[in-house]
Amino acid sequence: MIRLEDVGHVYAAGTPWARRALSGVDLTIAHAERILVVGPNGSGKSTLAWIVAGLLRPTEGTATLDGRPVDEAPGSTAMTFQHARLQLFRPTVGADVRFGTRLDRVAVDHALEMVGLDPAVFRSRRVDELSGGQQRRVALAGALVRRPRVLVLDEPLAGLDAPGRRLLIAVLARLNREAQVATVIVTHDTEDAHRVADRGVVLRAGEVVADDEVASALEQPRP
Ligand SMILES: Nc1ncnc2c1ncn2[C@@H]1O[C@H](COP(=O)(O)OP(=O)(O)OP(=O)(O)O)[C@@H](O)[C@H]1O
Ligand SMILES: [Mg+2]
């Protein structure tokens, strides 16, 4: 479905501030596959996430979805960002989830329920009055209502407490099972790796150093 071929990315290419984030990445993501991308700070995880989600066109190589550039297939992919607040644009939760769609309140309420936020309580809440974990769930609800085929989540478990974490893991499992959404989870946090992914990809200094069944991939020596 998604195929990255020899993908490299240099930020600010051609300037004195040029900075290489990825090199020579080959990666395929099949229908409904669940992949965990791990690696140390600065290893290129977020850059890879943006490219897979079609939000960034790589400076080298190609990233395609069913043969077309991923960045030309809006709607097929959705992403939640490492910093959830940056992706909430509307003042209230309901308005934010609905933003840019033609959905009615029923669909919005359903998405809020999916992420464990009671619509009656949260629909009219101001985004700025939510905790970080709640903002992350609103961002996820906003991604879900668009019914993507591929969902890219950058550090989705960061800052969640134990119940929040269990809930998110259950939401992802249900999405994968019922809606057949492929998920790409980018994280440092490998604690629940086997619950959220079948396959693991390890990045180091912008290169893929392991791509295997999740438990085997995570056994690779870490720097
Ligand atoms: N907008 C940008 N402009 C210039 N350089 C950038 C930009 N974004 C990232 N980089 C650089 O690209 C490299 C990879 O960054 P990236 O954010 O993809 O890493 P990461 O693995 O997600 O890190 P973290 O674990 O800290 O989130 C780093 O060297 C970083 O400094
Ligand atoms: Mg990152």
Side-chain angles (χ1 to χ4, degrees):
M1 188 170 56
I2 286 191
R3 181 185 290 270
L4 269 56
E5 284 173 294
D6 204 17
V7 161
H9 194 75
V10 178
Y11 286 103
T15 76
W17 302 276
R19 181 147 200 140
R20 174 167 290 279
L22 289 176
S23 32
V25 173
D26 291 310
L27 186 73
T28 58
I29 301 166
H31 175 71
E33 198 171 16
R34 305 187 307 157
I35 302 180
L36 195 74
V37 177
V38 299
N41 288 138
S43 57
K45 302 183 298 295
S46 293
T47 305
L48 183 64
W50 280 64
I51 290 170
V52 169
L55 300 172
L56 182 68
R57 178 176 278 225
T59 55
E60 297 155 10
T62 55
T64 54
L65 188 148
D66 294 340
R68 292 181 51 210
V70 195
D71 55 318
E72 291 174 11
S76 304
T77 56
M79 176 164 173
T80 64
F81 301 125
Q82 191 163 0
H83 306 288
R85 182 64 189 90
L86 298 179
Q87 103 183 89
L88 306 177
F89 300 114
R90 299 271 120 183
T92 65
V93 168
D96 196 275
V97 172
R98 195 184 302 115
F99 183 55
T101 71
R102 292 164 185 272
L103 296 167
D104 59 12
R105 204 173 89 174
V106 177
V108 170
D109 283 0
H110 179 69
L112 289 174
E113 272 163 16
M114 280 284 281
V115 299
L117 296 174
D118 180 354
V121 176
F122 286 95
R123 192 192 298 125
S124 314
R125 271 282 173 87
R126 292 191 65 79
V127 163
D128 284 314
E129 292 168 2
L130 302 176
S131 72
Q134 289 166 340
Q135 288 178 350
R136 177 124 0 101
R137 286 191 232 172
V138 173
L140 180 60
L144 297 184
V145 288
R146 286 163 177 76
R147 300 190 164 273
R149 292 165 62 196
V150 183
L151 183 60
V152 182
L153 306 153
D154 197 350
E155 302 286 359
L157 299 171
L160 295 186
D161 55 16
R165 202 178 168 95
R166 274 197 297 276
L167 183 111
L168 187 72
I169 290 169
V171 167
L172 294 177
R174 192 168 140 204
L175 255 183
N176 185 256
R177 204 171 48 237
E178 292 173 11
Q180 296 278 291
V181 179
T183 46
V184 178
I185 297 181
V186 166
T187 186
H188 293 95
D189 175 348
T190 54
E191 195 182 314
D192 291 305
H194 63 287
R195 288 184 223 280
V196 294
D198 307 304
R199 191 171 140 207
V201 170
V202 182
L203 279 179
R204 197 169 302 155
E207 293 184 33
V208 173
V209 295
D211 181 350
D212 205 341
E213 187 274 316
V214 68
S216 316
L218 297 181
E219 276 168 17
Q220 296 291 315
R222 300 289 197 84

